[in-house]
Amino acid sequence: MFEINCDVVIIGGGPAGLAAAIGAKEEGAEKVLIIERDNALGGILQQCIHPGFGLTKFKEELTGPEYYGRFVDHAKELGVEYMLNSMVLSVDHENSRVICVNSEKGMTCVHAGSIVLAMGCRERTRANIVTPGTRPAGLYTAGAAQRLVNRQNIMVGKKVVILGSGDIGMIMARRMSLEGAKVVCVVELMSYLAGLTRNRVQCLDDFGIPLKLAHTITRIEGNERVTGVWVAPVDENKMPIKEQEEFIECDTVLFSVGLLPENELTRKAGITINPITNGPEVNQYMQTSVPGVFACGNVVHVNDLADNVSEESARAGKYAAQYAKKTLPKADGTIACVTGRNVRYLCPQKIQKAEGSEKVSLYFRVLNPELGVKLVARCGDEIIAQKKEFRVNPGEMNHIVVDTAKLTGDTITIDVVKED
């Protein structure tokens, strides 16, 4: 078996893995290695040719390839090493090693001072949501269609219905329209948007594409190719109202019904998984329940912006380097992060208390959309941080910054409070 030694090994060469590698290098790790299963770095951003990336980090609007290209260039300048066409088989945290298979070297064992999980996420499919009907050609996840159109120059259809108002689905509604297809409508089960508001404006409203909220596809019809779908409104229990269903003719259906963190390796390694995010539980250092294993990006929780992924992943790389150098701050107790009113989940899920003061950003999504609210962080009855928001929506991330010096007790609770 071929063997490699390094300070920090990172699984995944997308935006999260690249940012983590740069963070580790800038923190002083000598040898940083990225393991990537594809034949190039960049991950999902290779097919995201639309603009909208980098507004926070670079203060300018970039396409996906332009965005990750800057990280690739920086990583190479810092001397980050990478192995492409390499599939990781297992994470052996007890022996601080990663076992993978490489197209040139064969079975490979990578020994590392610390490990960073940055495998990203995958799309939920028709099978995940159990949509009834036949099984004809013309059914795609939005991401698969995006890859076919943008990277392989293959047009997937001419008359399209999109199920789900996730960001990829709305972006593909615009992309299909620009390529000459007719996007009949976007159908969303919930009564609110699943993605960013800006994508509704730029991708649906600007192109006159109808959005049917509180609707779902009840069945798909077609033999060799999709011929149409039945769409119905849903009641308060999300059950279709069959008496009001209508038939919509189409030859293609794109599914944009959510993303799932790629955590097969995480589970196999025995790392604690959060039941809400389906990603590993982490502390503010992005360290998992297993010492020496860190995680970042969409493998932890599905983010809405690539800039958030980059910021979070740079932190993971920084602290992974500190762990490898044995300079990671020693914990002086653990504080659990608890969801309060209208908060679906929090990340990180716990905060390690250490000497001194530290600013920690707690990221979360809400359960329901609201206008005119205040984000409140409490330790017991004491408010330690708060900020106003004009609106909150489940499709968009929120965050609040807390000072660890103000943390008392065993828990910190985050509430979204409706203002009078």
Side-chain angles (χ1 to χ4, degrees):
M1 183 183 291
F2 188 77
E3 298 196 4
I4 301 174
N5 292 300
C6 63
D7 296 299
V8 180
V9 62
I10 298 163
I11 304 173
L18 288 165
I22 292 169
K25 266 292 187 180
E26 290 179 339
E27 190 62 20
E30 289 188 19
K31 183 169 182 175
V32 177
L33 175 68
I34 295 175
I35 303 175
E36 170 55 48
R37 66 185 177 186
D38 203 349
N39 60 6
L41 298 172
I44 194 67
L45 294 190
Q46 294 178 76
Q47 66 192 50
C48 297
I49 64 173
H50 54 276
F53 299 90
L55 292 169
T56 302
K57 183 168 182 61
F58 297 114
K59 309 301 183 209
E60 59 180 303
E61 192 172 38
L62 306 172
T63 64
E66 288 174 327
Y67 184 81
Y68 83 77
R70 296 196 180 188
F71 285 89
V72 171
D73 292 342
H74 193 189
K76 289 179 178 178
E77 289 172 3
L78 293 172
V80 172
E81 299 178 31
Y82 52 92
M83 284 199 314
L84 303 177
N85 301 306
S86 302
M87 177 67 73
V88 174
L89 304 178
S90 66
V91 175
D92 182 1
H93 59 83
E94 292 182 352
N95 296 300
S96 300
R97 64 180 186 175
V98 171
I99 307 298
C100 65
V101 59
N102 176 264
S103 59
E104 295 180 0
K105 301 179 176 66
M107 290 293 291
T108 303
C109 178
V110 180
H111 301 272
S114 61
I115 300 166
V116 180
L117 309 177
M119 295 89 70
C121 59
R122 67 176 185 272
E123 293 179 282
R124 296 174 74 203
T125 65
R126 174 189 180 180
N128 292 123
I129 60 172
V130 198
T131 302
T134 56
R135 299 178 63 187
L139 307 178
Y140 303 89
T141 63
Q146 185 183 58
R147 183 182 180 93
L148 287 168
V149 174
N150 291 348
R151 296 195 66 189
Q152 297 173 239
N153 200 31
I154 298 173
M155 191 63 174
V156 296
K158 297 179 180 179
K159 198 169 186 180
V160 186
V161 170
I162 299 175
L163 178 60
S165 62
D167 290 312
I168 302 175
M170 290 192 287
I171 288 166
M172 279 307 294
R174 174 178 62 185
R175 186 77 178 102
M176 295 297 288
S177 298
L178 290 171
E179 289 295 327
K182 168 68 175 177
V183 180
V184 183
C185 63
V186 174
V187 180
E188 171 56 53
L189 177 68
M190 307 304 288
S191 59
Y192 50 80
L193 197 69
L196 296 171
T197 302
R198 77 180 191 196
N199 282 332
R200 174 177 181 168
V201 173
Q202 296 174 358
C203 302
L204 302 186
D205 296 349
D206 287 356
F207 287 81
I209 298 171
L211 171 63
K212 291 180 176 291
L213 295 174
H215 281 68
T216 191
I217 292 177
T218 56
R219 65 185 185 276
I220 296 168
E221 290 198 357
N223 187 9
E224 293 183 358
R225 180 82 190 192
V226 176
T227 57
V229 294
W230 288 89
V231 173
V234 297
D235 59 22
E236 62 275 9
N237 297 315
K238 304 297 183 288
M239 297 301 294
I241 304 172
K242 289 295 187 72
E243 297 79 11
Q244 299 180 35
E245 70 179 356
E246 62 175 322
F247 182 76
I248 297 178
E249 185 181 337
C250 64
D251 64 12
T252 304
V253 179
L254 303 187
F255 292 88
S256 179
V257 290
L259 301 168
L260 296 170
E262 286 273 18
N263 271 305
E264 286 74 14
L265 288 172
T266 313
R267 290 187 177 89
K268 189 177 177 181
I271 294 168
T272 302
I273 299 289
N274 184 275
I276 304 299
T277 63
N278 290 309
E281 292 192 349
V282 295
N283 59 25
Q284 77 268 35
Y285 306 131
M286 305 309 295
Q287 188 175 29
T288 68
S289 60
V290 172
V293 180
F294 298 74
C296 58
N298 287 345
V299 81
V300 178
H301 63 130
V302 177
N303 286 263
D304 54 353
L305 299 174
D307 283 337
N308 289 345
V309 169
S310 300
E311 188 276 331
E312 180 181 274
S313 302
R315 271 190 290 121
K318 171 184 175 180
Y319 293 119
Q322 289 185 9
Y323 184 91
K325 297 191 300 178
K326 296 180 171 52
T327 59
L328 188 69
K330 299 294 183 182
D332 187 27
T334 300
I335 296 170
C337 301
V338 180
T339 58
R341 180 190 178 277
N342 200 18
V343 177
R344 183 165 179 260
Y345 74 82
L346 289 166
C347 187
Q349 288 84 10
K350 55 188 176 181
I351 296 175
Q352 297 287 81
K353 194 83 184 288
E355 291 184 4
S357 175
E358 180 183 356
K359 302 291 186 183
V360 176
S361 292
L362 290 169
Y363 289 88
F364 63 93
R365 289 184 187 269
V366 298
L367 290 164
N368 299 295
E370 284 187 315
L371 293 173
V373 298
K374 185 186 294 183
L375 313 183
V376 179
R378 287 188 176 90
C379 274
D381 295 329
E382 182 183 358
I383 296 177
I384 62 171
Q386 59 183 317
K387 71 173 184 177
K388 293 183 178 181
E389 291 285 359
F390 172 71
R391 64 175 173 81
V392 290
N393 185 67
E396 302 180 24
M397 297 287 299
N398 296 95
H399 79 281
I400 188 168
V401 179
V402 298
D403 188 341
T404 57
K406 296 180 179 179
L407 298 179
T408 58
D410 299 324
T411 62
I412 176 174
T413 303
I414 307 300
D415 294 290
V416 175
V417 179
K418 184 73 174 174
E419 291 204 298
D420 297 331

